[in-house]
Amino acid sequence: MIQTLAFYLFAALVIASAVMVIMARNPVHSVLWLILAFFNAAGLMVLVGAEFIAALLLIVYVGAVAVLFLFVVMMLDIDFAELRAGFVKNFPLGIAIALVLAAELIFGIGAYQAGQLELGVASGVAAPALDASNTASIGAVLYRDYVFLFEAAGIILLVAMVGAIVLTHRRTENARGQQDISRQVRRNPDEATVMKQPEVGRGVDL
Amino acid sequence: MTEFFQSLGLTYEWAWGLATIAGILLIALPLMLSVAMVIYVDRKVWAAINLRRGPNVVGPFGLLQSFADGLKVFLQETIIPSAANKGIFILAPIVTFTVALAAWAVVPFSATAVLADINIGLLYILAISSLSVYGVVMSGWASNSKYPFFSAMRAAAQMISYEVSIGFILVCVVLFAGTFNLNDIVRAQEGFGLGVINAYGIHPLLFPMWVMFFISCLAETQRVPFDLTEAESELVAGYQTEYSSMSFALFWLGEYANILLMCILNALLFWGGWLPPIDWAPLYYVPGIVWLLLKTFFFFFMFSWVMATVPRYRYDQLMRLGWKVFLPISLGFVVVISGYLMATGHFG
Amino acid sequence: MDYATSFYFTATEIGLSLCGLALLLVAGWQGNKSARMVTIISVAALFGAAIFSIGLFDRATGEVAGRAFGDLYRADAFGSFAKVLIYVAAAAVLIVTPRFFERIDAYRAEYPVLMLFNAVGMGMMVSATDLMTLYIGLEMSSLSSYVLASFLRNDERSSEAGLKYFVLGALASGIILYGVSLVYGFTGSTNYAGIRAAFEASFSTGALFGVVFVLAGLAFKISAVPFHMWTPDVYEGAPTPVTAFFASAPKVAAMGMLLRMAMDPFGGEADAWRQIVIFAALASIVVGALGAIGQQNLKRLLAYSSINNVGFIMIGLAAATPGGVAGALTYLAIYVAMTIGSFTALLMLRAPDGTNLETFADISGLSTKRPALAWSLLALMFSLAGIPPLFGFWGKFVVFQAAVQADLVALAAIGIAASVIGAFYYLKFIKVMFFDEPTREVEATSPVSHWVVLGICVAIMSPLGYLLTVPLGEWTAQAAASFVAAM
């Protein structure tokens, strides 16, 4: 009972906030709605017993990706009139794509109703639940069965990093605010200060 | 507690619901009270280090100072700047405060006193604490004013930077404990050090991790020397500049609740949580919560101590420390610790 | 799962990755001083990987059939054939690359490293027997391609090309993922064998949608019409060596991936996707031929030429027979040699001050100044047009033969007709190079490395190439047979 209620609550909120992401005029509002959508998606994950995925969804998407999104969007100066003009121009195309996707969804639901949508293995028999916690089972699958793909995904991230650095990093000589910590620490009063006893009425020569 | 309500003749569902609400109140109310007292302690510690007296007028030894401040703030008018984005402006302090409270749901005050003893407790805390940046960013943006906006930018970059190394440090602890459950992490520390000391922090591989964790906690809660988001010499009061009355108080309460959470995490993850410091039977007669609060209080003292003695970092220094020092070191320790645990047959 | 066997079968990917990681460290510490050395080692590694793949060609058809990591990956004759093409093409491009960038002091040691990771991704693409391996390989290759396209970051056109490629490529990845999710939803498996089994049991409309989406996304990656719009812009804007790369190795990888997908998991439902492939093939041939006519920029022209050639390769796929696959593979091999030759010749066309020449006006009267280069270009262009004495004709002949054998006579006829239109713009080369008055000064010498690459490509394209028909026929037949073995 409470699960059903929670499911419909989370699902309705995901959809509503997803709609608001595109409906909101202000891009910052869009991002905030997106965060709400992530949140409710995490709620759905908890409901199906995938609490590890739910936590990761929050940590990665809400905690890092969306913050950076917000970071960029906040600094944008967007011309809304122009944005809406583009919207009108592309409206028919958007509608067409939306119709196709809607048809897809209906097919999906239809198949689900017919009882064909059984996830897991090819024969349609769902994968047996492992006798271990969520985290442990994901770890086992990730590092045993899919270790090849896991490592390859790591290389993809490396490529992304190398790419970002190659395209944006410019080596500047003598950058402002450069600081050599060890030199700073090595300095002692003897080499940094001088004691002078100036005579009255005369300045100090350094 | 559910059993207690069931014994009053309620069905399981109602009993569970009531028990949860009671549990939330049992955590939230003392927490608010201790936040008030901790603000007083904070001010007293700074005063002592600065050779001043600190608050000493309201109540005996000034003990009621925080309550007087709270009353004052409560009676003030809430001002919303006309150029502000109203909805988000009001939402921001609420988010900060709610998030600061939500993390406490999984904190084990003793072996049994925990509201939600979930498997992924540590991940939950990490997830929730990564949300606290939204309060700052939203308030900074919604204020529609220069200084709060700078502050929001700084907060977003700063918190993401330090969360990365906090994540790696926590992975080290999790590697030793083999679980994300906070209670199990505490139990795993029983007799960890030479069979007598109940703490991860004394292990030569984990002690440096704890030092880094403590410093990252300072950055994560935006305390001195990393309080660039509210650097008063540059940004007036940072993201709080445009706030007044209760909305300002919510920020204040949320901030200290977060600080307390970080202190309690230090105790739980590295220094034995609700276990007594030494694995010696008579010490177990003292209730676990006493040990936990003593440890937490000690770490809070350290927070105040740092605040009173260390000057503020420059922003590029902050970023340098996070990305060029903490990140490589913590990543290296993850590798070293996993190797060490494999070599010593820790995983069996 | 036996790790030793798995490592053996994936040795090219693992070896190239490790080599890339080590070279990345070298690049990080030594900076751009080491760019030359890193390039040389990368070329050596790519050749090593190619030789290892040749070694796997026969070995992998044994009792384990090249399966690695629990059938996520299969090192069979098909994969080996495609990988040899990919690695050799990547190595050839790397050989002719440094001069181009060094002239404007823009060469960096990360370039060959990105190429190596790109090759790893492409290897995974052609060997993938699981949708997840496919996607990861695709992303690894695409991501490094985006960076390579905008490698001249101070050049507006290069940045624009990178951005366009990135945005549209990400869209294509999204389409593929959407299709993959549908296929997984309707079959309950991401494994090719599992999908095939599930499709044989029942093939619903929803699953058809999934197949169509996957194929559409893949069509994007091979720049088949109607998903070709990005190609001319990206090819024109990207630095010329990168364009040479885009037109060769990733085409082989994407085409190999498409062939394997169509023949293995979707092989039982050939009727469902054949019409799409026929349409894409014909549209590509026609659009490629017509679009090229008005072009003044040679890189843009070669972009349309590659669209056109992809159409011919897809005719082989449309046949959906082992003969068709073998034909497509033969065409791919010849196409790679032609493309790399053409772009190398383009790289050798320089003004005396070192700037690149890339329009028709620049090559007018080339035969009087650089006769050898002009004749090489002539051979390559005739070969691209499929004019008989040259080897390019053989590729077209093989795919048309396969189409006719599969009773697709109309398709073959239209294809032949369109290739006549296509011949027009290749002939324009001859007119401009041999009969027009020279207008521009052209640099008189070219580096030996360029001559070597160009020489090999031209030798393959010359009638001498027909010596290769017998071994090429055997290899491609064996490669195509690996699908039958997997079924």
Side-chain angles (χ1 to χ4, degrees):
Chain A
M1 175 58 189
I2 189 158
Q3 278 94 339
T4 324
L5 272 182
F7 170 77
Y8 282 111
L9 178 71
F10 286 138
L13 279 174
V14 170
I15 294 171
S17 37
V19 168
M20 288 310 290
V21 172
I22 24 180
M23 299 297 283
R25 294 264 171 96
N26 190 325
V28 173
H29 291 185
S30 278
V31 177
L32 293 175
W33 283 114
L34 184 69
I35 291 162
L36 188 62
F38 282 143
F39 243 104
N40 288 293
L44 287 174
M45 288 293 176
V46 171
L47 274 187
V48 296
E51 71 261 11
F52 183 73
I53 303 279
L56 281 196
L57 199 65
L58 283 190
I59 294 172
V60 175
Y61 285 93
V62 180
V65 175
V67 175
L68 292 178
F69 245 54
L70 203 56
F71 194 93
V72 174
V73 166
M74 282 199 309
M75 289 196 282
L76 288 181
D77 184 23
I78 294 175
D79 185 353
F80 295 108
E82 196 180 322
L83 213 65
R84 275 199 289 280
F87 179 76
V88 171
K89 203 176 70 185
N90 295 323
F91 191 67
L93 182 69
I95 287 289
I97 292 175
L99 283 180
V100 170
L101 296 184
E104 296 279 294
L105 270 180
I106 293 163
F107 277 124
I109 294 166
Y112 178 76
Q113 295 289 350
Q116 283 187 359
L117 202 71
E118 289 174 53
L119 306 183
V121 288
S123 62
V125 182
L130 292 171
D131 188 23
S133 77
N134 228 297
T135 320
S137 3
I138 287 182
V141 172
L142 210 55
Y143 294 107
R144 199 191 302 134
D145 298 351
Y146 292 105
V147 64
F148 184 59
L149 301 186
F150 181 78
E151 296 293 337
I155 291 192
I156 295 184
L157 294 182
L158 178 72
V159 167
M161 209 161 83
V162 171
I165 293 171
V166 163
L167 293 184
T168 57
H169 182 70
R170 283 169 168 75
R171 183 157 289 141
T172 45
E173 301 300 326
N174 202 3
R176 221 152 44 90
Q178 213 168 36
Q179 188 178 22
D180 186 349
I181 303 269
S182 71
R183 227 187 86 216
Q184 223 170 310
V185 173
R186 258 185 287 129
R187 231 160 102 106
N188 55 38
D190 298 341
E191 43 190 85
T193 54
V194 273
M195 293 295 283
K196 291 271 184 182
Q197 289 287 344
E199 285 174 36
V200 177
R202 298 192 53 189
V204 181
D205 296 319
L206 282 177
Chain B
M1 211 185 294
T2 314
E3 291 79 30
F4 168 73
F5 283 106
Q6 265 178 309
S7 68
L8 295 179
L10 291 166
T11 62
Y12 176 78
E13 282 80 15
W14 281 102
W16 180 83
L18 279 177
T20 309
I21 291 171
I24 291 172
L25 290 179
L26 271 178
I27 292 175
L29 293 182
L31 178 65
M32 285 301 100
L33 199 64
S34 47
V35 162
M37 290 322 292
V38 135
I39 293 175
Y40 165 78
V41 171
D42 217 7
R43 295 173 69 175
K44 273 291 192 196
V45 172
W46 303 334
I49 291 176
N50 296 348
L51 299 179
R52 293 185 283 112
R53 279 179 186 280
N56 62 351
V57 176
V58 191
F61 310 107
L63 270 172
L64 299 178
Q65 180 66 46
S66 297
F67 298 99
D69 287 345
L71 191 67
K72 178 196 78 177
V73 157
F74 189 67
L75 294 174
Q76 280 171 339
E77 181 196 353
T78 305
I79 298 166
I80 300 178
S82 57
N85 194 315
K86 288 196 187 53
I88 296 181
F89 186 84
I90 296 171
L91 198 59
I94 301 175
V95 167
T96 307
F97 185 70
T98 316
V99 161
L101 282 188
W104 288 82
V106 295
V107 170
F109 294 97
S110 75
T112 49
V114 46
L115 182 62
D117 194 13
I118 57 176
N119 271 334
I120 50 155
L122 195 53
L123 280 182
Y124 173 83
I125 287 196
L126 210 57
I128 296 293
S129 77
S130 69
L131 297 182
S132 53
V133 65
Y134 282 109
V136 179
V137 172
M138 283 160 73
S139 62
W141 182 79
S143 297
N144 200 2
S145 154
K146 277 195 196 71
Y147 296 125
F149 187 70
F150 285 146
S151 162
M153 293 279 116
R154 286 182 175 189
Q158 173 177 345
M159 294 186 77
I160 284 193
S161 310
Y162 281 85
E163 247 155 45
V164 179
S165 49
I166 286 194
F168 280 125
I169 292 164
L170 296 188
V171 166
C172 295
V173 175
V174 169
L175 279 172
F176 267 93
T179 172
F180 281 109
N181 183 304
L182 285 171
N183 246 333
D184 290 343
I185 290 176
V186 172
R187 279 195 204 98
Q189 298 177 46
E190 197 168 338
F192 178 77
L194 312 167
V196 257
I197 301 167
N198 295 331
Y200 272 154
I202 52 137
H203 193 281
L205 283 175
L206 282 174
F207 184 75
M209 288 291 94
W210 169 69
V211 173
M212 282 170 54
F213 183 68
F214 183 78
I215 298 172
S216 302
C217 284
L218 291 174
E220 187 76 5
T221 51
Q222 290 149 17
R223 284 282 284 199
V224 171
F226 307 111
D227 62 338
L228 286 134
T229 55
E230 44 199 290
E232 64 279 351
S233 53
E234 306 154 30
L235 301 180
V236 189
Y239 59 94
Q240 308 163 347
T241 307
E242 305 291 345
Y243 281 86
S244 55
S245 90
M246 268 319 276
S247 52
F248 175 74
L250 285 181
F251 274 125
W252 204 234
L253 292 173
E255 191 179 313
Y256 271 90
N258 266 333
I259 290 168
L260 276 183
L261 180 76
M262 286 301 171
C263 296
I264 217 166
L265 272 186
N266 266 297
L268 285 170
L269 298 175
F270 289 95
W271 300 101
W274 37 260
L275 292 168
I278 293 168
D279 197 16
W280 182 46
L283 291 179
Y284 283 94
Y285 289 114
V286 181
I289 191 161
V290 174
W291 292 118
L292 183 67
L293 291 184
L294 276 177
K295 290 170 185 173
T296 309
F297 188 76
F298 174 73
F299 288 115
F300 185 79
F301 170 72
M302 283 182 66
F303 267 64
S304 306
W305 187 8
V306 169
M307 176 138 182
T309 44
V310 182
R312 183 179 299 134
Y313 260 50
R314 214 169 51 210
Y315 199 68
D316 61 303
Q317 292 170 323
L318 171 88
M319 284 294 149
R320 184 188 155 278
L321 185 71
W323 290 106
K324 289 187 172 176
V325 180
F326 279 10
L327 181 62
I329 292 182
S330 56
L331 192 55
F333 265 84
V334 171
V335 176
V336 170
I337 286 180
S338 354
Y340 166 80
L341 292 178
M342 287 295 273
T344 52
H346 182 84
F347 298 119
Chain C
M1 186 170 47
D2 178 10
Y3 278 115
T5 327
S6 297
F7 286 149
Y8 174 64
F9 286 134
T10 55
T12 50
E13 275 78 21
I14 293 172
L16 286 179
S17 309
L18 291 179
C19 184
L21 292 176
L23 290 179
L24 191 59
L25 284 182
V26 173
W29 289 111
Q30 293 287 313
N32 295 333
K33 288 183 303 230
S34 61
R36 276 254 155 172
M37 187 190 71
V38 171
T39 312
I40 292 168
I41 298 176
S42 305
V43 171
L46 284 169
F47 274 122
I51 291 167
F52 190 86
S53 297
I54 295 174
L56 273 183
F57 192 73
D58 292 325
R59 297 289 299 279
T61 47
E63 71 282 4
V64 281
R67 275 160 222 254
F69 298 104
D71 210 14
L72 283 175
Y73 177 105
R74 195 179 299 147
D76 50 13
F78 176 82
S80 299
F81 185 84
K83 270 188 236 178
V84 171
L85 278 186
I86 289 168
Y87 296 149
V88 170
V93 170
L94 263 186
I95 290 172
V96 295
T97 297
R99 285 297 176 106
F100 177 87
F101 288 105
E102 277 167 2
R103 225 172 272 245
I104 42 176
D105 200 23
Y107 199 50
R108 305 181 59 160
E110 286 85 2
Y111 183 95
V113 175
L114 285 171
M115 279 292 238
L116 281 184
F117 287 135
N118 206 329
V120 173
M122 290 188 287
M124 283 176 72
M125 279 158 77
V126 293
S127 281
T129 50
D130 192 289
L131 294 174
M132 287 191 280
T133 320
L134 175 140
Y135 184 69
I136 292 215
L138 185 65
E139 279 309 293
M140 199 190 292
S141 153
S142 307
L143 210 55
S144 34
S145 296
Y146 306 145
V147 180
L148 290 175
S150 45
F151 206 77
L152 286 178
R153 57 188 188 183
N154 292 327
D155 181 61
E156 241 173 61
R157 286 194 311 164
S158 176
S159 311
E160 185 195 328
L163 196 63
K164 267 187 185 155
Y165 197 24
F166 173 65
V167 171
L168 294 174
L171 178 71
S173 296
I175 293 174
I176 292 182
L177 265 190
Y178 194 64
V180 162
S181 72
L182 280 173
V183 170
Y184 173 61
F186 280 93
T187 60
S189 172
T190 55
N191 183 267
Y192 283 7
I195 293 169
R196 196 186 167 91
F199 276 171
E200 270 160 14
S202 75
F203 188 71
S204 59
T205 325
L208 175 65
F209 263 82
V211 172
V212 170
F213 267 79
V214 172
L215 292 184
L218 293 183
F220 198 100
K221 297 285 175 192
I222 56 171
S223 68
V225 177
F227 303 102
H228 64 290
M229 309 77 76
W230 57 274
T231 322
D233 290 346
V234 172
Y235 279 30
E236 186 190 353
T240 312
V242 176
T243 313
F245 175 69
F246 285 172
S248 54
K251 278 268 158 70
V252 179
M255 207 62 220
M257 183 168 80
L258 180 61
L259 286 172
R260 193 190 282 276
M261 278 224 97
M263 297 306 290
D264 190 355
F266 305 156
E269 312 300 325
D271 294 330
W273 51 257
R274 183 177 280 129
Q275 285 149 356
I276 305 170
V277 172
I278 290 177
F279 166 75
L282 284 182
S284 305
I285 293 171
V286 172
V287 169
L290 295 181
I293 290 174
Q295 301 304 330
Q296 285 304 311
N297 186 298
L298 298 178
K299 278 159 84 182
R300 261 188 115 76
L301 185 134
L302 283 169
Y304 278 104
S305 153
S306 96
I307 295 172
N308 176 291
N309 279 295
V310 160
F312 287 115
I313 299 170
M314 283 176 89
I315 288 184
L317 174 61
T321 56
V325 174
L329 284 177
T330 312
Y331 199 114
L332 261 180
I334 298 170
Y335 165 76
V336 165
M338 293 190 291
T339 307
I340 289 187
S342 319
F343 277 103
T344 309
L346 211 57
L347 276 171
M348 290 158 77
L349 283 173
R350 293 179 173 286
D353 62 352
T355 51
N356 263 67
L357 303 178
E358 46 187 51
T359 64
F360 264 119
D362 294 332
I363 62 164
S364 60
L366 191 69
S367 62
T368 55
K369 290 185 188 137
R370 303 285 303 270
L373 194 56
W375 282 102
S376 305
L377 254 178
L378 174 74
L380 290 164
M381 287 302 139
F382 270 25
S383 193
L384 274 171
I387 291 170
L390 295 157
F391 199 39
F393 168 72
W394 179 249
K396 288 202 167 65
F397 176 73
V398 178
V399 289
F400 287 139
Q401 193 186 27
V404 171
Q405 277 167 2
D407 287 334
L408 297 170
V409 182
L411 174 63
I414 300 175
I416 291 168
S419 66
V420 174
I421 309 175
F424 167 80
Y425 61 84
Y426 298 115
L427 291 176
K428 192 173 169 192
F429 265 91
I430 305 166
K431 182 210 162 237
V432 174
M433 286 193 302
F434 288 85
F435 300 109
D436 280 4
E437 288 301 310
T439 52
R440 281 201 69 146
E441 285 299 307
V442 181
E443 197 181 42
T445 57
S446 295
V448 181
S449 56
H450 288 48
W451 276 119
V452 171
V453 173
L454 182 65
I456 294 174
C457 293
V458 172
I460 296 174
M461 282 317 113
S462 71
L464 285 177
Y466 283 89
L467 297 173
L468 284 174
T469 48
V470 177
L472 204 55
E474 276 172 21
W475 293 331
T476 51
Q478 197 179 339
S482 53
F483 294 138
V484 184
M487 284 169 193

